[in-house]
Amino acid sequence: MSARPKPTLESVTTISADGSRPFLHPADVQGRLSAWRRWTALVLLAVYVLLPWIPIKGYPAVFLNVMERRFHFFGITLATQDLWLFFFLISGAAFGLFYVASLFGRVWCGWTCPYTVFLEHVYRRVERWIEGDAPARRLLDAAPWSLAKVLKRALKHGIFLVLSALIAHVFLSYFVSIKQLYAWMQGPPSQHLFAFGAVVFLTGALYFAFSWFREQFCIILCPYGRLQSALTDDNTVVIGYDKKRGEPRGKVGTAGAGDCVDCLRCVQVCPTGIDIRNGLQLECIGCSACVDACNDIMAKVGRPAGLVRYSSLNALSGGRTRYIRPRTIAYTVLAVLGLAAFGLSLTTLKPMRVLAKRMPGAPFFTGDGVVRNQFTFRLINKRHEASSYRLDLVQAPEGMRMMGAEDPVKVPPLGEVEKPVIVTIPQSQYTGKTQITILIREQRDRGMAITQKVEFLGPDLRFFQNKPSPPSS
Amino acid sequence: MDAENKSGPELRPHVYDGIQEYDQRLPNWWLFTLYITIVFFIGYWVAYYQFKLIETDETRLNRAIAAIDAARLKQLEAVDDARLWAMSQDPQVVERGKATFMTACVACHGPDLMGKKNNPALPGPSLADQEWKFGHQPTEVLKLVRKGSPDVTKGMPPWEPVLGVSRVIDVTAFILSHHKEGEPFTVAPDAPGTVTKS
């Protein structure tokens, strides 16, 4: 225990003065908040693992099919062209996160961040199971290499590697589907080098992060953590130590001492190695382990719980927490705006898309007494079933005809077809370039319709009108 | 505070908005990432810029394009007159070709392949009669479908960029299924190379 430095405000506990990294072994903690945290983590883990397995309308619940550029979310299929609406989803979600941070600090980090969920509720559980509780792990770290130590370490790191590979495979399945993943897993890696490389890289990264890097990520690298000081204020509910109640510290029975018995339980259970009694610090990920630890001790010494608790700096210094303040109102408005815009844009999505373009070659043709334009319509079917489309010329000058689309065009599910059509008008009725409108209708009940405007081109009229009339002289 | 800090890290003299900072040593792992980038830079600089051991993006791109071209050429080389005639007898190929024809070619040549011969409003010539303008051999027909008409005033565009090699071959087989090998043919009066009497 002597090697364990006393946490201070000046330095990070897990970085020594010589730059080395004291490895933390947080003590086990039990309590109401820890139990809730474990349940939350289990639900999140189940969601993460199960989503690719649940079929909805023939596709996994979440399937980001990057190879075919179709993105499936709970039965809604988006094409690459629809990705603009993610701007609103992401900005809305980001401001939602800001909103939560301004109200409750790093509650995301301590309770729901995937990094925390994997680290605290998967990897640390395995470590606890194999190497024992915190003092036992510290002893094992210090012990010289023996057969038992080698076996324990090999087993632990073996399981860590398997877990990392599992998480990496689940991650890949979000992009290629379980079916494709299973097919690949049965073939040699040379047939899918990129996917194999991605899984190997991810496995290595996860193994490194959760076996060694751990809290360093939350303290030093995570951008959300770095944003905290800009998002929180004195009214933000964080994990706080009630100085007025706790100080001065002293053993039970010391005259004039506050409620804190200086047992250091809050320091021992902290996954980032801080002393919460030093006040709010950038290392605190809001996991509330110290709250449960302190409540446990307070119950043992017969004092009221809540010496360390969720509270704001204002409330801890005797004031009241103001939940409604300009910051939270602004974040709420921005979050609601973003999510509302996302919801609205989702309703404007059409199950089809049409792209009209002029066929390559000359812009127009003349002959047989007509002026002719050639177009291709790229019909993109975004439904999960085959669809037929009718193309009709609406709003066109007298005498104009469209040919090639007499029959409805069949497009396979989530497929696309290039449909060439030709539009002609007799020379005598041609009065110059004009815009024409083509109506594309889905052949089904309550089918979608899209109008597409194209430019009908022809020769210069002065040159053209002289031609049919015989020479005057 | 000052007495307490004596043993702690050194406080730097500069102050911004009342904020000061300690002079702390960086974590070793952080420095290690810097050393890795230095080593990587030297290795990459030697391999890429000095000894050109790593392909440039340009050569990789050109190689990929060459591979695509080679695959296309290989597919086309496998196709000669005899092979096209044989394909025109294969119901599966013809069915595929028909599907493409009825989507793409039908606009000008009509569903009966007769073009303007049956329906004067259509601009395309008949593909089901024995009169040919740019050659009657299957490979000549294929070339026309792939590259478009040499006569750019007529409006037959190149289809290979739109449909791809396989579907262009299928469509040619479908057209040939309306013909017989060795059947008599005539050359259109406006065909290139035909001398029209003035």
Side-chain angles (χ1 to χ4, degrees):
Chain A
M1 292 295 285
S2 58
R4 201 176 165 83
K6 197 171 181 300
T8 63
L9 271 181
E10 289 83 44
S11 306
V12 174
T13 315
T14 50
I15 304 168
S16 306
D18 64 355
S20 66
R21 157 102 183 283
F23 203 85
L24 281 183
H25 287 293
D28 300 335
V29 60
Q30 255 120 39
R32 201 167 48 90
L33 290 168
S34 299
W36 275 111
R37 229 174 35 245
R38 178 147 310 153
W39 278 111
T40 312
L42 286 176
V43 169
L44 291 171
L45 281 171
V47 168
Y48 173 68
V49 174
L50 291 181
L51 272 183
W53 295 86
I54 303 170
I56 298 179
K57 289 195 190 170
Y59 292 93
V62 174
F63 179 22
L64 309 166
N65 190 350
V66 283
M67 285 189 293
E68 286 163 23
R69 291 170 199 84
R70 292 288 183 273
F71 307 93
H72 309 275
F73 299 95
F74 307 101
I76 301 173
T77 295
L78 302 176
T80 323
Q81 302 93 335
D82 305 322
L83 289 191
W84 56 270
L85 53 85
F86 277 84
F87 169 77
F88 298 110
L89 178 66
I90 289 166
S91 58
F95 279 112
L97 201 57
F98 287 5
Y99 169 72
V100 171
S102 67
L103 280 183
F104 303 114
R106 288 178 84 166
V107 68
W108 160 267
C109 307
W111 287 67
T112 51
C113 175
Y115 195 91
T116 298
V117 169
F118 287 134
L119 176 58
E120 298 297 331
H121 303 281
V122 180
Y123 288 82
R124 276 210 217 277
R125 296 307 300 161
V126 172
E127 195 169 66
R128 170 76 177 75
W129 174 58
I130 293 172
E131 297 186 348
D133 60 8
R137 293 202 297 271
R138 238 169 268 133
L139 275 179
L140 188 70
D141 268 2
W145 283 100
S146 64
L147 184 66
K149 184 171 176 176
V150 169
L151 282 179
K152 276 183 179 174
R153 284 287 149 93
L155 181 62
K156 180 180 89 168
H157 288 287
I159 294 178
F160 278 2
L161 275 172
V162 171
L163 284 171
S164 304
L166 279 175
I167 298 173
H169 276 87
V170 173
F171 184 78
L172 186 68
S173 73
Y174 276 84
F175 298 91
V176 301
S177 83
I178 291 283
K179 230 170 97 182
Q180 176 71 74
L181 180 71
Y182 187 65
W184 276 347
M185 283 164 70
Q186 289 170 316
S190 57
Q191 287 173 0
H192 45 268
L193 268 182
F194 183 79
F196 183 77
V199 163
V200 167
F201 172 78
L202 211 56
T203 304
L206 290 167
Y207 170 74
F208 169 74
F210 295 130
S211 70
W212 190 81
F213 200 52
R214 299 196 169 174
E215 77 289 337
Q216 297 292 301
F217 178 82
C218 311
I219 296 175
I220 294 171
L221 287 190
C222 176
Y224 180 62
R226 297 282 67 72
L227 274 175
Q228 291 302 311
S229 48
L231 299 176
T232 60
D233 54 31
D234 288 352
N235 281 303
T236 300
V237 173
V238 292
I239 309 247
Y241 163 67
D242 194 338
K243 256 197 177 97
K244 293 201 303 179
R245 211 189 109 186
E247 302 292 307
R249 301 165 197 173
K251 293 268 172 283
V252 181
T254 314
D259 275 354
C260 176
V261 295
D262 210 10
C263 65
L264 290 177
R265 266 297 281 172
C266 54
V267 179
Q268 286 160 8
V269 300
C270 180
T272 61
I274 57 168
D275 185 344
I276 194 66
R277 296 171 301 170
N278 288 336
L280 180 61
Q281 292 151 72
L282 69 82
E283 296 100 314
C284 178
I285 57 166
C287 73
S288 72
C290 51
V291 177
D292 274 340
C294 187
N295 284 346
D296 194 28
I297 296 294
M298 286 296 115
K300 278 180 186 154
V301 300
R303 290 173 186 171
L307 182 58
V308 178
R309 61 175 185 270
Y310 275 109
S311 189
S312 71
L313 297 182
N314 265 354
L316 284 170
S317 56
R320 279 188 52 218
T321 305
R322 273 174 54 228
Y323 290 100
I324 299 165
R325 47 192 203 271
R327 178 194 295 275
T328 52
I329 294 171
Y331 291 158
T332 315
V333 168
L334 289 168
V336 169
L337 261 182
L339 295 174
F342 172 71
L344 278 177
S345 44
L346 207 57
T347 62
T348 65
L349 282 187
K350 292 183 173 173
M352 64 185 282
R353 189 175 156 90
V354 181
L355 299 164
K357 68 172 198 278
R358 201 170 289 280
M359 259 199 244
F364 60 86
F365 303 92
T366 54
D368 300 334
V370 296
V371 180
R372 169 162 50 95
N373 279 207
Q374 309 184 151
F375 303 99
T376 62
F377 285 83
R378 174 178 289 218
L379 305 168
I380 301 167
N381 179 10
K382 294 199 273 186
R383 287 188 193 273
H384 292 175
E385 53 208 1
S387 238
S388 292
Y389 304 94
R390 259 206 86 74
L391 278 67
D392 285 300
L393 193 59
V394 295
Q395 280 186 35
E398 268 300 300
M400 190 170 278
R401 287 182 61 184
M402 186 170 79
M403 285 175 289
E406 288 75 15
D407 297 323
V409 187
K410 257 191 116 158
V411 185
L414 300 178
E416 50 187 71
V417 163
E418 288 256 9
K419 178 64 194 168
V421 296
I422 57 172
V423 180
T424 61
I425 188 166
Q427 277 182 9
S428 52
Q429 282 167 290
Y430 179 72
T431 54
K433 77 170 182 184
T434 174
Q435 207 167 53
I436 59 173
T437 306
I438 285 138
L439 179 69
I440 300 104
R441 277 175 302 172
E442 257 187 325
Q443 298 295 98
R444 62 164 72 226
D445 282 345
R446 296 186 293 127
M448 194 54 87
I450 286 180
T451 55
Q452 187 81 42
K453 284 181 164 47
V454 288
E455 193 98 326
F456 188 90
L457 301 176
D460 191 296
L461 275 177
R462 287 163 301 179
F463 157 78
F464 187 64
Q465 275 165 345
N466 290 340
K467 222 179 160 188
S469 55
S472 51
S473 59
Chain B
M1 278 293 275
D2 273 358
E4 210 180 323
N5 278 345
K6 278 275 152 55
S7 57
E10 184 196 334
L11 199 60
R12 296 299 307 260
H14 55 252
V15 182
Y16 297 107
D17 291 340
I19 298 171
Q20 276 181 283
E21 60 180 351
Y22 290 113
D23 188 10
Q24 305 257 36
R25 202 188 136 101
L26 284 169
N28 289 345
W29 62 260
W30 183 287
L31 288 170
F32 192 62
T33 57
L34 172 67
Y35 302 145
I36 290 177
T37 57
I38 293 171
V39 170
F40 177 83
F41 156 70
I42 295 170
Y44 193 78
W45 178 73
V46 169
Y48 188 86
Y49 289 100
Q50 300 311 308
F51 293 103
K52 318 241 179 266
L53 296 175
I54 302 168
E55 277 186 326
T56 62
D57 283 351
E58 195 187 353
T59 52
R60 271 223 305 281
L61 178 72
N62 289 339
R63 201 158 42 87
I65 291 175
I68 293 169
D69 278 344
R72 233 188 64 235
L73 267 177
K74 206 176 149 198
Q75 203 177 357
L76 284 171
E77 269 167 14
V79 173
D80 54 11
D81 288 341
R83 175 102 189 86
L84 277 170
W85 279 123
M87 284 172 103
S88 75
Q89 301 299 314
D90 182 340
Q92 266 187 317
V93 177
V94 171
E95 198 51 45
R96 288 203 304 265
K98 185 181 178 183
T100 304
F101 188 95
M102 290 306 164
T103 307
C105 321
V106 70
C108 293
H109 298 282
D112 55 1
L113 282 72
M114 296 291 275
K116 63 173 84 178
K117 202 166 186 179
N118 235 2
N119 178 1
L122 290 176
S126 169
L127 306 171
D129 63 6
Q130 275 84 52
E131 187 181 278
W132 294 99
K133 191 170 164 186
F134 297 103
H136 69 288
Q137 292 291 353
T139 42
E140 290 170 318
V141 179
L142 176 64
K143 189 181 170 197
L144 195 83
V145 179
R146 281 178 54 217
K147 305 274 184 190
S149 172
D151 183 354
V152 292
T153 65
K154 294 299 187 214
M156 170 80 175
W159 285 102
E160 189 183 322
V162 181
L163 300 175
V165 178
S166 306
R167 286 162 82 192
V168 162
I169 292 172
D170 292 346
V171 158
T172 310
F174 171 69
I175 296 169
L176 290 172
S177 71
H178 290 72
H179 296 270
K180 281 195 185 64
E181 197 173 354
E183 68 182 6
F185 67 94
T186 56
V187 176
D190 56 350
T194 313
V195 185
T196 30
K197 291 207 174 101
S198 49

